Amino acid sequence: MDGPSWAWPFTPWRNVAAGLSAWRSRMNFKTIHDIHHCFDHALQPVETISSGDTRCFDIQDASGGLIQKESQADILTRLPHDALNPVCGPLFIEDADPGDVIEIELEDFEPGAWGWTGLIPGFGLLADDFTQPWLKISEYDSESVYFRDDIVIPFRPFAGTIGLAPAEPGQHSIVPPRLCGGNLDIRDLVKGSKLYLPVQVRGGLLSIGDTHACQGDGEVCGTAVETGMKATATIRLHKGDRILAPMFDMPPVERDQSLNEGFIVTTGVGADLMQGARDAVRFMMDRLVKKAGMEEEMAYALCSVAGQLRISEIVDQPNWVVSCYMPKAIFKSTSLKAI
């Protein structure tokens, strides 16, 4: 797609390299297309793989393809909950047993062209404040997400959901994260990262889904820039290497344009971390609305796709500090940078 006139020029060799990378992934590694909508160790695996095998996952967006580029906001009130957040798999990892660890090395992401961000009634950090549906479609390329004409966010793809089957029997919702992974929504699980998950059942039963074009820490409105994407991962088994919860290695960041111009930071201070998070986000939204003339829904969504919630202080009882960081570099107008 053609970006706005102020966007930096595309670098042709990067686009060619990305295309070649995606082509090699499709040619060299089997692609997993099968999807399911829950974690359950009774699910039949689609394939048994060995440690060191690489697979490409053909991932649908969080709506399972129900939201289209021309969709209107009311579709968010009609999404069937049992069809959301589809994941690819599960894969049975040979010789994996409870007490072992599965490593998922994220090798590559093949971008799509557009994604959506939605305010879903009853969902999100500020669900009580936003009771009506709201939908934003954003186009993107291999460099940038064009969230608004004057707001451009670096393209930073990752898979929000990577998990193994839990030991407890029955069907478990994909929405909450668990000790064996799941809907972690960790924005740093980008290309080059290695996620480690504790195995709870024989074979592990690995599933991956919920790809995002970009997301802020916290994903506060409940959605990022949701998009379908192909993700390539290498899976390895570590026998007897017990861990209690997910952990990951993150690669060095070669270039993060969001750090170029610093941040605008708001805080929430009080005795409850959840309330502090709400207060920090509301504070940031207030600045965006008052100083930049942004509608509340857009401000909330922007905090979700680009803001970064951090616990700044948690030892000086009885009050703690949660901060909301907004990178100035995403704003293309001077008025937005000065909120």
Side-chain angles (χ1 to χ4, degrees), residues 221-235:
C221 82
T223 57
V225 175
E226 310 288 338
T227 183
M229 202 176 293
K230 285 185 171 65
T232 303
T234 298
I235 297 93

Side-chain angles (χ1 to χ4, degrees), residues 75-95:
I75 194 173
L76 297 173
T77 66
R78 296 182 280 106
L79 294 176
H81 294 291
D82 59 354
L84 300 182
N85 270 37
V87 289
C88 289
L91 297 182
F92 186 100
I93 294 88
E94 195 173 39
D95 298 326

Side-chain angles (χ1 to χ4, degrees), residues 292-322:
M294 195 175 293
E295 63 175 326
E296 285 190 337
E297 291 83 359
M298 179 68 76
Y300 185 27
L302 182 61
C303 287
S304 191
V305 302
Q308 299 172 23
L309 274 184
R310 302 179 188 177
I311 298 175
S312 296
E313 183 276 306
I314 200 171
V315 296
D316 296 327
Q317 59 184 341
N319 292 331
W320 333 119
V321 179
V322 180

Side-chain angles (χ1 to χ4, degrees), residues 20-328:
L20 286 174
S21 175
W23 178 81
R24 291 191 186 102
S25 295
R26 291 194 298 269
M27 294 300 293
N28 293 340
F29 310 121
K30 180 177 179 180
T31 297
I32 305 300
H33 298 281
D34 302 65
I35 63 168
H36 56 98
H37 298 89
C38 66
F39 285 104
D40 185 350
H41 65 237
L43 287 174
Q44 186 69 25
V46 300
E47 186 185 5
T48 295
I49 65 170
S50 301
S51 179
D53 283 353
T54 300
R55 291 294 181 269
C56 180
F57 298 82
D58 189 7
I59 296 171
Q60 296 182 0
D61 74 282
S63 78
L66 295 177
I67 294 179
Q68 297 294 310
K69 197 173 182 180
E70 65 277 4
S71 295
Q72 301 299 310
D74 66 318
I75 194 173
L76 297 173
T77 66
R78 296 182 280 106
L79 294 176
H81 294 291
D82 59 354
L84 300 182
N85 270 37
V87 289
C88 289
L91 297 182
F92 186 100
I93 294 88
E94 195 173 39
D95 298 326
D97 294 299
D100 296 338
V101 170
I102 297 296
E103 170 196 326
I104 303 97
E105 181 176 4
L106 299 162
E107 305 275 8
D108 200 9
F109 292 93
E110 181 183 341
W114 66 273
W116 62 271
T117 304
L119 307 188
I120 302 173
F123 190 54
L125 183 66
L126 305 182
D128 292 342
D129 297 354
F130 295 88
T131 59
Q132 298 301 311
W134 180 89
L135 181 65
K136 173 73 175 68
I137 303 297
S138 301
E139 295 185 336
Y140 68 87
D141 54 40
S142 60
E143 296 286 338
S144 305
V145 178
Y146 303 100
F147 194 67
R148 208 172 74 165
D149 285 348
D150 54 357
I151 300 175
V152 179
I153 305 168
F155 175 64
R156 200 168 187 267
F158 72 99
T161 302
I162 307 175
L164 305 178
E168 295 79 9
Q171 296 184 353
H172 300 270
S173 169
I174 288 177
V175 174
R178 296 180 173 82
L179 293 178
C180 54
N183 194 20
L184 299 170
D185 283 322
I186 299 174
R187 70 186 294 267
D188 290 327
L189 291 177
V190 293
K191 178 179 177 179
S193 293
K194 298 177 181 179
L195 175 65
Y196 301 88
L197 299 175
V199 177
Q200 293 191 359
V201 300
R202 183 169 175 269
L205 296 178
L206 170 69
S207 301
I208 300 179
D210 189 29
T211 38
H212 299 160
C214 67
Q215 181 203 290
D217 280 324
E219 196 189 22
V220 294
C221 82
T223 57
V225 175
E226 310 288 338
T227 183
M229 202 176 293
K230 285 185 171 65
T232 303
T234 298
I235 297 93
R236 301 182 182 91
L237 172 66
H238 299 273
K239 294 294 294 182
D241 186 11
R242 291 179 180 269
I243 58 175
L244 299 178
M247 62 174 288
F248 65 97
D249 293 337
M250 179 184 169
V253 178
E254 294 182 3
R255 181 175 63 109
D256 190 344
Q257 294 168 343
S258 69
L259 305 178
N260 289 352
E261 299 181 40
F263 297 84
I264 300 159
V265 185
T266 55
T267 64
V269 180
D272 183 279
L273 283 175
M274 183 63 76
Q275 187 58 46
R278 293 190 182 101
D279 290 345
V281 172
R282 287 190 178 115
F283 190 176
M284 180 62 73
M285 289 170 54
D286 182 71
R287 302 299 291 179
L288 290 167
V289 170
K290 287 181 178 178
K291 299 294 185 179
M294 195 175 293
E295 63 175 326
E296 285 190 337
E297 291 83 359
M298 179 68 76
Y300 185 27
L302 182 61
C303 287
S304 191
V305 302
Q308 299 172 23
L309 274 184
R310 302 179 188 177
I311 298 175
S312 296
E313 183 276 306
I314 200 171
V315 296
D316 296 327
Q317 59 184 341
N319 292 331
W320 333 119
V321 179
V322 180
S323 300
C324 181
Y325 287 66
M326 186 64 67
K328 294 182 182 181

